[in-house]
Amino acid sequence: MAGDAEAKRTFTRRALFLGGVQVAAGVLLTGRMAWLALAENEKYALASEANRVDLRLIPPRRGWIVDAAGLPLAENRPAYGVELIPALAGDIEAALATIGAIVPLAAEDRARINTDIAARPKSVPVSVATDIGWEAYAALNLRLADMAGLQPVRSFVRSYPQGSAFGHVLGYVGPPTAEQFRESRDALLLFPGFRIGKDGVEKALEPVLRGEAGARRVEVNARGRIIRDLDTRPDTPGKAVRLTLDRGLQAHAAARVGDGSASIVVIDCQTGDIKCLLSNPAFDPNVFSNRIPSALWKALQASDHKPLLNKSLQGLYVPGSTYKPVTALAALGAGVPPSDSVVCNGRYRMGSNTWHCHGRHGVVDMRRAIAKSCNVYFYTMARRIGNDAVAAMARTMGLGQRFELPMPSQRRGTIPDEAWKLQRFGKPWTAAETLNSCIGQGDVQVNPLQLAVMTARLASGMMVLPRLLADAPAVAFEPLPLPADQLAVVRQGMFDVVNGPGGTARASRLRLADVAMGGKTGTAQVRRITAAERRRGVIRNEALPWKLRDHALFIGFAPADAPRYAISVVAEHGGSGAGAAAPLARDVLTFLFDRERAEKDLAATITERERKARAAARAAEAAAAAAAATSAAPDDDEDRAGGPG
Amino acid sequence: MLLNARWPQRILALPWGIILLIVAIGGFGLVVLYSAAGGSMRPWASAQGTRFAVLLLAMLMLSQVDARLWLRFAYPIYAIVLAALVGVEALGAISGGSQRWLDLGFIRLQPSEFMKLAIILALARFYHYLPRGYVGRLAGMWPPLAMIAVPAALVMLQPDLGTALMIVAGGLSVMFLGGLPLRWIFGPGAALVAALPVVFNLLHDYQKRRVLIFLDPESDPLGSGYHITQSKIAIGSGGLTGKGFLQGTQSHLEYLPEQHTDFVFATMAEEWGLVGGALLLLAFGIVLNWGLRVAMRAETMFVRLVAGGLSMTLFFYVLINVAMVMGLAPVVGIPLPLVSWGGSAMMTVLILMGILLGMNRQKREPLE
């Protein structure tokens, strides 16, 4: 059949064609495979290895922070948490419900967990709860067998045994920000639960404290389960940091201040060691180590006691009369003999204005002027030597300066002089400003650390520089560019403030047999006293709302005859330096010389404080007038400066 | 004498080289499945081995079936399989899900698998009896097109793009071999290419996504593109000679999805390398070449077309699966014959080989 033969030829041709197609396909497939396996072998071998091997970081343990005696201020405590691998867990909601039965999970926790799960590959563990306590951890461990994807984890959490007493010095640790990761590109910052220093020493010494992460190379399967360990490089813990602080002293000071808003700085005059750097009230860094509760954060921000501000370094205050020793030293340096006297009849006239003193002191020389805090004497001397001499002396004493400390920030404050005035306001300096500045009012602004340094320099005669790191090499200080006898005059005046007849801080003498304290009170106006008010009679501090009361200041040193410690105290809105600040200084310094005595006093103070609080509560309950119930410290002699009247 | 008896002679006459090659491919498949299970006969290798042995026996028995019988029952077989296909479709619609199999209690049968073979037999029969002059006419063209389109559409509805593709490709191969004028092939071919966007729109969303991700696997590294990416990593990291038996990390650590079914070629390539892959492809090539030669030597149209069509069906299995695994084709569910774990495909392929062996036996004999 011709048709059949034709059909067979067609068939054969087409079958041969399809055979060719098959051969071509075979060549194509083999070629493709050769391309993948040979030409691109390196790339895919790497990808396969990247799949197989997972580098798991071992976060380093953070270095301890200890006080001068080696007592821990910041340490690490073991913490237990729970993670979930979504790829293994199956039904996430059911898994969370099971975990929730052991560890309560709030709605916001669940929201965060679900966000985390959605944002990451399913094989990456998601933190469900941290710091759940050992019992919950043990309970979860029992569920391991029947819950896939559950991972109890052990880690370390920063712990601050002294709580808020060292809040501002130490700062706190918290999770790194996305920006910090972008800058450093350090994978450690992405490690769940890893914390870095956010403030204080924790922030300033972060590189020392952090240490180096270790790593574990593990073989993982596609679902993130670890098949076996390949090798491990151990972590290097951060180095311990020893501070010059005295844990007992600062804790004592914090307890003494209680709820009050105050800053207390104690410096060792010989070494510059900062023994106490208290800013109260503060936050509890233990709470900040974990997630900061937003309600707490709001409360801290809203509080008028400013618990988030490190007052000892960043709080700026008008120094008031604590500035007078500077003016006195400036006068001596300018050649004014300490015996030069001034007659104080309660007022000082300059042009058509009258400047007030807070008493009629009669004939005062320098020593008496300091002891009595006589404004008229300092007005007279400051006008004689000029303001710039006073400002220069203030800088020599350490005011208006920042010091080398492992702290993230310090505020410099202001020591006003002619150049400053011109630059700031474009106006020439006036004599009225000289009068205001020389008694530490007006534009003069200092921080408590500067006041303490000033006191230490005055007490030791050395250019004391404060230090906070105990293991830093000690440097010998230069002597101050002042003759010893001039310093002695001022120190004598300050001795009289506390111990002399009619001294402003006589009530705060150290109650110790062999140690005396020298010092100077100060009261810094928060509001301006108007002429009308002055005519009516100045309103007593206790009658004012807290925010409008004067700041109470005190600087001191002890022992008076061979000064070892210098102290500065600022009690915000405390009323008067003598009434609120000097007793604090007395009790804190007592701790350094007679610890037992100090603790007994503190116990009595706390009992009294509680009695008053109960009384106040009762009074409030009875809806009695608040003023009647809470009469505070006795009204000491005021060193309030007078404005133009 | 036993050797002169009828049965032993018929058995001895079989092309044992090809049969041994089939056994070798299947045996290699078992080795790969053994490794895929982490060096264990369970759960895959032992079950697959048993199945393979039983189906090999069935293949030898089918090889004794007369070509005349296949010719006679080509349409009834097609009709039964088509009815079964409609049946599962209806049942699937009733149960409210996609259902592809008939559960006979001891085995689940996918009618669509049998359709791959039935379409070849039915079309071969159609062309066998079709007068030469009608091959290029409408009257000679719409019945085969309908015979292809109806089951393909039903399978598409399941939805099973891979199997539908296989049915269409197998059917068109028979039409091509049957002598369809070239203008009827290239014309509609061009039209089909032009119609691709329309076809694309008819696909299910997940199928569309697969096609898009095929074109750019890195666009979805953790989702559907994951399959292709991980498969390429497995093959590429195998290199020339592979990582060694039981040493494949991609498969053992479960990065490679479906390591024992559709992506078994990648599992194999990771451990045996380019050498293993090329040898496996060569083995398939020899079987395919033998199938085409059976077709070309045959005296009757039916045997030619059945042998050629089945050979092409086997070819499409291998081509689509391996191309997909290497990232040359979208991911459609087509197993690698004799190697992938699973009963249905293995049954189809060994039945195919059984029929092919039968055709080989009768290539010289007239059918009537």
Side-chain angles (χ1 to χ4, degrees):
Chain A
M1 291 182 284
D4 252 15
E6 167 66 26
K8 181 165 186 182
R9 269 201 305 281
T10 306
F11 177 86
T12 306
R13 265 202 314 276
R14 293 194 173 184
L16 279 173
F17 172 76
L18 290 185
V21 168
Q22 292 185 359
V23 170
V27 169
L28 174 75
L29 293 181
T30 313
R32 168 72 173 173
M33 191 174 172
W35 172 257
L36 291 177
L38 302 180
E40 297 196 293
N41 173 252
E42 204 170 318
K43 167 180 152 193
Y44 288 119
L46 275 177
S48 146
E49 200 65 5
N51 267 347
R52 180 177 81 95
V53 177
D54 201 3
L55 212 59
R56 299 268 162 113
L57 284 178
I58 305 172
R61 248 180 275 176
R62 208 168 167 79
W64 281 28
I65 303 175
V66 299
D67 82 344
L71 299 173
L73 299 175
E75 54 193 7
N76 306 304
R77 78 178 153 77
Y80 306 94
V82 56
E83 289 176 357
L84 193 65
I85 302 176
L88 297 179
D91 185 350
I92 302 289
E93 284 307 313
L96 288 182
T98 313
I99 298 172
I102 298 169
V103 188
L105 296 174
E108 55 183 315
D109 291 331
R110 280 170 185 263
R112 175 189 56 81
I113 293 164
N114 285 327
T115 317
D116 284 0
I117 290 175
R120 293 185 231 175
K122 298 286 166 280
S123 60
V124 175
V126 168
S127 172
V128 174
T130 53
D131 212 358
I132 58 175
W134 195 84
E135 296 206 349
Y137 178 76
L140 279 170
N141 266 300
L142 291 179
R143 305 301 303 271
L144 273 188
D146 56 342
M147 267 194 75
L150 188 71
Q151 270 193 341
V153 287
R154 290 189 54 182
S155 61
F156 288 93
V157 163
R158 199 65 159 162
S159 162
Y160 304 89
Q162 296 293 316
S164 64
F166 289 85
H168 287 302
V169 181
L170 301 177
Y172 59 99
V173 293
T177 62
E179 198 165 299
Q180 279 164 331
F181 171 70
R182 269 198 297 279
E183 278 169 21
S184 70
R185 289 267 143 217
D186 186 347
L188 186 57
L189 297 190
L190 293 182
F191 194 87
F194 186 73
R195 299 283 185 266
I196 64 167
K198 291 285 186 177
D199 200 359
V201 172
E202 292 275 30
K203 182 179 185 183
L205 297 181
E206 173 68 23
V208 182
L209 292 167
R210 185 186 292 178
E212 297 226 8
R216 215 175 128 207
R217 278 177 75 240
V218 290
E219 188 172 89
V220 290
N221 72 8
R223 288 176 285 173
R225 172 162 285 178
I226 294 171
I227 304 300
R228 63 194 166 118
D229 274 294
L230 299 174
D231 52 45
T232 300
R233 178 167 51 89
D235 61 307
T236 313
K239 288 196 188 65
V241 168
R242 195 161 71 96
L243 301 181
T244 57
L245 297 175
D246 181 332
R247 189 176 95 167
L249 177 72
Q250 184 152 334
H252 181 84
R256 175 66 181 81
V257 172
D259 297 337
S261 180
S263 159
I264 299 179
V265 183
V266 177
I267 292 182
D268 185 318
C269 301
Q270 286 155 23
T271 59
D273 286 2
I274 300 177
K275 309 301 289 179
C276 174
L277 193 66
L278 178 74
S279 167
N280 202 69
F283 48 85
D284 182 353
N286 287 308
V287 178
F288 279 36
S289 283
N290 286 321
R291 206 171 298 270
I292 304 169
S294 60
L296 171 66
W297 182 250
K298 272 183 201 145
L300 287 173
Q301 278 184 317
S303 168
D304 58 357
H305 283 44
K306 297 198 192 76
L308 295 175
L309 178 76
N310 185 352
K311 299 185 179 75
S312 50
L313 297 182
Q314 292 158 28
L316 291 181
Y317 303 92
V318 173
S321 301
T322 59
Y323 194 71
K324 285 174 181 165
V326 170
T327 306
L329 283 173
L332 292 168
V336 175
S339 52
D340 272 16
S341 296
V342 167
V343 179
C344 167
N345 58 5
R347 53 192 63 203
Y348 179 86
R349 297 193 66 88
M350 188 181 71
S352 57
N353 285 329
T354 304
W355 301 72
H356 294 269
C357 196
H358 48 79
R360 295 160 185 264
H361 298 112
V363 179
V364 288
D365 63 359
M366 182 176 282
R367 183 172 169 177
R368 223 172 110 74
I370 293 172
K372 298 277 182 190
S373 201
C374 174
N375 287 352
V376 172
Y377 177 87
F378 291 101
Y379 293 150
T380 311
M381 294 307 165
R383 288 214 59 204
R384 199 192 290 178
I385 63 173
N387 176 73
D388 278 13
V390 179
M393 181 56 70
R395 292 195 187 96
T396 304
M397 299 308 285
L399 301 182
Q401 288 181 29
R402 283 197 194 97
F403 301 103
E404 190 108 346
L405 291 181
M407 297 293 284
S409 66
Q410 292 173 49
R411 288 185 70 190
R412 195 191 290 272
T414 311
I415 299 300
D417 59 13
E418 287 174 27
W420 173 85
K421 175 86 188 289
L422 211 59
Q423 198 227 330
R424 179 81 199 274
F425 296 106
K427 287 180 183 161
W429 188 262
T430 66
E433 284 167 325
T434 301
L435 298 194
N436 244 344
S437 295
C438 78
I439 57 164
Q441 303 284 352
D443 291 317
V444 187
Q445 284 203 311
V446 300
N447 70 37
L449 174 70
Q450 291 168 349
L451 279 179
V453 169
M454 174 187 96
T455 311
R457 288 184 179 184
L458 201 154
S460 67
M462 297 290 178
M463 288 291 278
V464 174
L465 287 170
R467 43 178 237 146
L468 198 52
L469 292 176
D471 295 323
V475 282
F477 300 129
E478 301 277 314
L480 279 175
L482 297 168
D485 58 331
Q486 296 185 0
L487 285 166
V489 172
V490 177
R491 283 205 287 264
Q492 277 165 2
M494 289 173 73
F495 177 84
D496 292 346
V497 166
V498 182
N499 306 287
T504 53
R506 245 185 94 74
S508 300
R509 284 192 315 277
L510 291 186
R511 295 169 222 161
L512 300 171
D514 47 354
V515 185
M517 168 172 80
K520 182 76 196 79
T521 57
T523 304
Q525 257 173 245
V526 169
R527 71 211 156 90
R528 190 158 282 279
I529 302 167
T530 62
E533 274 182 317
R534 193 168 288 282
R535 274 195 300 280
R536 275 201 307 273
V538 177
I539 306 168
R540 289 162 56 89
N541 260 298
E542 292 73 39
L544 287 168
W546 186 79
K547 280 300 273 185
L548 294 179
R549 292 181 204 168
D550 297 336
H551 292 320
L553 294 92
F554 183 83
I555 58 172
F557 53 86
D561 45 357
R564 173 75 200 277
Y565 299 110
I567 187 169
S568 76
V569 175
V570 176
E572 281 195 331
H573 308 293
S576 75
L584 280 173
R586 174 196 65 204
D587 290 350
V588 170
L589 287 182
T590 302
F591 184 91
L592 285 169
F593 296 106
D594 186 347
R595 192 169 172 159
E596 224 169 279
R597 173 76 196 249
E599 280 169 356
K600 216 182 294 167
D601 288 352
L602 176 63
T605 309
I606 290 174
T607 313
E608 171 70 6
R609 194 187 290 152
E610 282 168 356
R611 194 188 59 73
K612 276 190 184 164
R614 277 198 303 276
R618 269 200 304 277
E621 252 169 54
T630 55
S631 85
D635 185 23
D636 238 318
D637 34 355
E638 302 272 343
D639 14 15
R640 176 177 297 112
Chain B
M1 296 282 290
L2 201 64
L3 279 179
N4 287 332
R6 194 160 168 256
W7 278 100
Q9 269 193 343
R10 289 184 66 164
I11 295 293
L12 278 177
L14 286 170
W16 282 101
I18 294 300
I19 294 172
L20 284 178
L21 203 52
I22 295 287
V23 174
I25 294 173
F28 187 46
L30 295 182
V31 169
V32 174
L33 289 181
Y34 174 81
S35 173
S40 159
M41 291 302 289
R42 290 152 64 83
W44 302 315
S46 59
Q48 179 93 338
T50 314
R51 219 159 24 215
F52 187 47
V54 171
L55 289 170
L56 266 178
L57 221 60
M59 175 187 84
L60 290 178
M61 281 157 68
L62 276 177
S63 73
Q64 302 308 312
V65 175
D66 226 69
R68 277 178 291 246
L69 226 55
W70 289 119
L71 180 64
R72 189 180 309 157
F73 288 109
Y75 281 170
I77 289 171
Y78 176 83
I80 290 167
V81 175
L82 192 62
L85 213 47
V86 174
V88 291
E89 193 58 41
L91 282 177
I94 291 165
S95 70
S98 84
Q99 193 176 355
R100 300 175 184 185
W101 60 82
L102 283 176
D103 201 339
L104 299 183
F106 66 97
I107 192 171
R108 282 172 164 183
L109 289 179
Q110 290 194 29
S112 57
E113 281 290 332
F114 293 112
M115 185 47 84
K116 291 171 192 168
L117 306 178
I119 188 75
I120 306 288
L121 290 172
L123 289 180
R125 189 207 137 102
F126 177 82
Y127 279 103
H128 182 76
Y129 288 119
L130 185 72
R132 289 300 91 202
Y134 283 86
V135 170
R137 296 207 208 148
L138 196 63
M141 275 194 308
W142 71 258
L145 282 177
M147 276 193 279
I148 297 169
V150 171
L154 282 171
V155 174
M156 265 303 261
L157 283 175
Q158 281 185 349
D160 185 351
L161 182 62
T163 304
L165 217 61
M166 292 282 293
I167 292 168
V168 171
L172 290 180
S173 300
V174 175
M175 288 181 75
F176 176 72
L177 289 170
L180 193 69
L182 290 178
R183 66 173 183 282
W184 286 114
I185 292 163
F186 294 119
L192 191 69
V193 171
L196 270 183
V198 180
V199 174
F200 181 79
N201 274 326
L202 290 175
L203 295 177
H204 278 257
D205 274 348
Y206 80 95
Q207 290 168 332
K208 282 185 194 170
R209 206 165 55 238
R210 277 182 183 176
V211 173
L212 289 177
I213 288 162
F214 157 67
L215 296 172
D216 182 18
E218 276 76 25
S219 69
D220 187 16
L222 293 175
S224 304
Y226 180 83
H227 289 47
I228 295 174
T229 308
Q230 294 301 332
S231 174
K232 280 160 74 181
I233 290 176
I235 296 170
S237 66
L240 182 62
T241 54
K243 293 174 182 168
F245 183 51
L246 296 178
Q247 302 297 310
T249 56
Q250 285 288 104
S251 56
H252 291 170
L253 298 175
E254 299 162 56
Y255 291 100
L256 190 58
E258 303 184 48
Q259 46 168 334
H260 59 291
T261 56
D262 287 358
F263 284 84
V264 73
F265 186 86
T267 305
M268 184 282 303
E270 188 182 17
E271 296 190 355
W272 299 90
L274 177 60
V275 172
L279 283 177
L280 188 57
L281 289 178
L282 185 67
F284 278 118
I286 292 170
V287 174
L288 292 172
N289 177 263
W290 170 78
L292 278 183
R293 274 190 292 119
V294 168
M296 285 190 288
R297 283 199 300 258
E299 290 299 324
T300 57
M301 197 57 164
F302 180 70
V303 175
R304 272 181 219 144
L305 289 183
V306 169
L310 291 181
S311 174
M312 285 308 287
T313 300
L314 184 60
F315 167 71
F316 286 127
Y317 262 113
V318 178
L319 174 70
I320 296 177
N321 176 272
V322 177
M324 161 187 101
V325 167
M326 289 180 181
L328 290 175
V331 176
V332 290
I334 300 263
L336 184 62
L338 304 173
V339 183
S340 286
W341 190 80
S344 293
M346 181 167 251
M347 180 156 68
T348 307
V349 171
L350 287 175
I351 291 174
L352 182 153
M353 286 308 299
I355 299 173
L356 206 47
L357 288 167
M359 296 297 147
N360 176 55
R361 201 167 45 79
Q362 296 193 332
K363 59 192 175 232
R364 299 279 172 222
E365 299 168 22
L367 289 177
E368 287 99 62

